[in-house]
Every structure is written in structure tokens, then in C-alpha cells.
Amino acid sequence: DTGVSQDPRHKITKRGQNVTFRCDPISEHNRLYWYRQTLGQGPEFLTYFQNEAQLEKSRLLSDRFSAERPKGSFSTLEIQRTEQGDSAMYLCASSRGPGTALNSPLHFGNGTRLTVT
Amino acid sequence: KNQVEQSPQSLIILEGKNCTLQCNYTVSPFSNLRWYKQDTGRGPVSLTIMTFSENTKSNGRYTATLDADTKQSSLHITASQLSDSASYICVVSASNAGNMLTFGGGTRLMVKP
């Protein structure tokens, strides 16, 4: 078990470009979450998968954002036509059961820091 | 609306000193409360998790308390070390919230030698 892995760790892009991030959860975890975190703030929920099904999406997830988890294992988060306001840390987390349950806490990756210039 | 408020926003202490971080929440119906430690540039790591029936839980030099009546929690750090410098995030879940957690904004702690 190597924990939740995210790639890349850092991404610098110009406004208007598309970017894609990858998350590899802990292998036996069927739930996968994406969060966004700006400096000095707590993580904000973006979306959640149970296996390959995307079950919840935040209002923060505009139509420029799309997330997939095609085989119920790794997930990708794509941002199209990036804006400067998209600059943030994008965190992925996984859990064995519901993330709110006592026996299935969220395990976070170390995030992808996006800078849009 | 479910909310979690943390105080102070930031704190500077000298190595070896103790400190206490506060978390107030309005999440209802309450299920459990977790404290996470987040080092700069890293993801949050769970420190403690507490349910309604637990008043105190320790993890090494970290001790969390919970008062479910006043909807307050605190995280006490004893004999601080330089490696304690991090953000500490309080996270509360509601029993009817499915997979939704409510995150506080965190307290940024800096321990100076």
C-alpha cells in the first residue's frame, strides 16, 4: 500500500489551456473524491465516485471541469480553458466505505498544485 | 447550513510550549469529528476521530476533546516540536450526509526554535 498517488505534483499553465490531473487511489478503496484547496483555506468538495460511477458533483464544478474514473480504479480531473481563478491545490482522496463513517476515513494524496498564468 | 469555524487562524509558539486549537461546528445531526494535520505542500493526514460519546482522544502529544452539547472541539499539542508546524484542519460529518464532510478553514501553526 503506497497510499494515494497524484500526478503531476505541480502544473503551470497559461490561461485558456487545458490540463489533466491523475489520481491513483489505495487499491482496495472503492470511493474516490476530488477536492480543491486555496491558500489558507480548508479543502472544498468537487466530486465523488463510487467505483466508476460519479455520484455527486459540487456547484463548484463548472462545465469546464470534468472527472472520470473509467474502470473504477484511477481517476482523472480535466479543466478546460483554464482561468487564473482555477489556481489552487487539487487534492484526491479515497476511502474503503463512506467517507463519513468511523471505519473508513479519507486518505488524501499530496495534491497537484495548479498555477494558471 | 453546516459550518465549521476554527480559531485562531494562525499561531506562533516557541518549541517546547503547549498550545490549544479550537473548532466550533454547527453540523447536525452530528456523527463524528476528525482532526487532520496538513504539512505545507502535502495532503491532510488524520490525527484523531471522535464520536458523540467520546470526550477525549489522544494520539501521542496530540489530545482532542469534544463537547457535543456546546458543539466545540479542541486539539491540544503538548511539548511542541518544530515538526508540528503545519495546518490543523477540523472536519465534521453529519449522520445524514452520505459522503459529505464539512471542513474548517484550518489553523496554521508555526513552531519556532
Side-chain angles (χ1 to χ4, degrees):
Chain A
D1 174 9
T2 57
V4 178
S5 176
Q6 292 189 246
D7 183 71
R9 290 296 314 279
H10 303 275
K11 178 71 176 178
I12 300 174
T13 191
K14 292 185 177 179
R15 185 164 50 94
Q17 298 294 304
N18 299 345
V19 294
T20 300
F21 312 140
R22 176 180 170 123
C23 171
D24 288 88
I26 293 172
S27 56
E28 66 266 25
H29 288 184
N30 61 3
R31 287 166 165 82
L32 185 147
Y33 310 77
W34 284 100
Y35 288 85
R36 182 175 71 185
Q37 186 178 29
T38 53
L39 201 60
Q41 302 297 316
E44 297 172 293
F45 171 79
L46 291 178
T47 189
Y48 151 71
F49 290 86
Q50 183 169 328
N51 299 312
E52 67 275 8
Q54 188 174 18
L55 297 185
E56 290 185 51
K57 293 188 343 182
S58 161
R59 281 191 294 270
L60 292 174
L61 212 68
S62 75
D63 56 6
R64 297 185 297 105
F65 288 70
S66 62
E68 294 183 344
R69 194 182 182 197
K71 297 181 180 178
S73 56
F74 74 92
S75 175
T76 58
L77 178 67
E78 180 183 18
I79 308 174
Q80 297 181 326
R81 305 181 304 281
T82 53
E83 302 173 355
Q84 287 187 322
D86 296 331
S87 296
M89 172 82 89
Y90 290 84
L91 290 166
C92 176
S94 69
S95 64
R96 182 181 294 110
T100 51
L102 285 175
N103 60 352
S104 59
L106 263 61
H107 295 259
F108 285 88
N110 286 324
T112 293
R113 179 163 295 285
L114 173 66
T115 302
V116 181
T117 61
Chain B
K1 180 183 177 185
N2 290 338
Q3 286 189 312
V4 176
E5 300 288 338
Q6 291 187 244
S7 62
Q9 283 192 330
S10 61
L11 182 62
I12 301 173
I13 63 173
L14 292 176
E15 186 179 12
K17 298 296 186 182
N18 303 337
C19 67
T20 301
L21 315 180
Q22 300 291 342
C23 172
N24 296 340
Y25 61 92
T26 57
V27 177
S28 181
F30 176 83
S31 175
N32 59 76
L33 182 148
R34 306 157 195 254
W35 283 93
Y36 279 86
K37 178 187 179 187
Q38 185 175 22
D39 292 317
T40 301
R42 314 277 287 193
V45 175
S46 179
L47 291 175
T48 64
I49 179 169
M50 302 176 71
T51 63
F52 183 90
S53 59
E54 296 173 297
N55 299 119
T56 302
K57 182 164 280 189
S58 292
N59 177 359
R61 295 179 296 102
Y62 300 102
T63 300
T65 65
L66 174 64
D67 186 335
D69 291 331
T70 62
K71 298 187 177 181
Q72 295 180 326
S73 176
S74 65
L75 181 69
H76 186 75
I77 304 175
T78 304
S80 60
Q81 300 176 358
L82 298 179
S83 59
D84 293 331
S85 295
S87 288
Y88 292 84
I89 302 173
C90 177
V91 185
V92 184
S93 63
S95 54
N96 63 353
N99 289 277
M100 297 302 294
L101 299 170
T102 304
F103 286 76
T107 292
R108 185 162 188 82
L109 174 66
M110 182 178 295
V111 180
K112 291 194 167 182

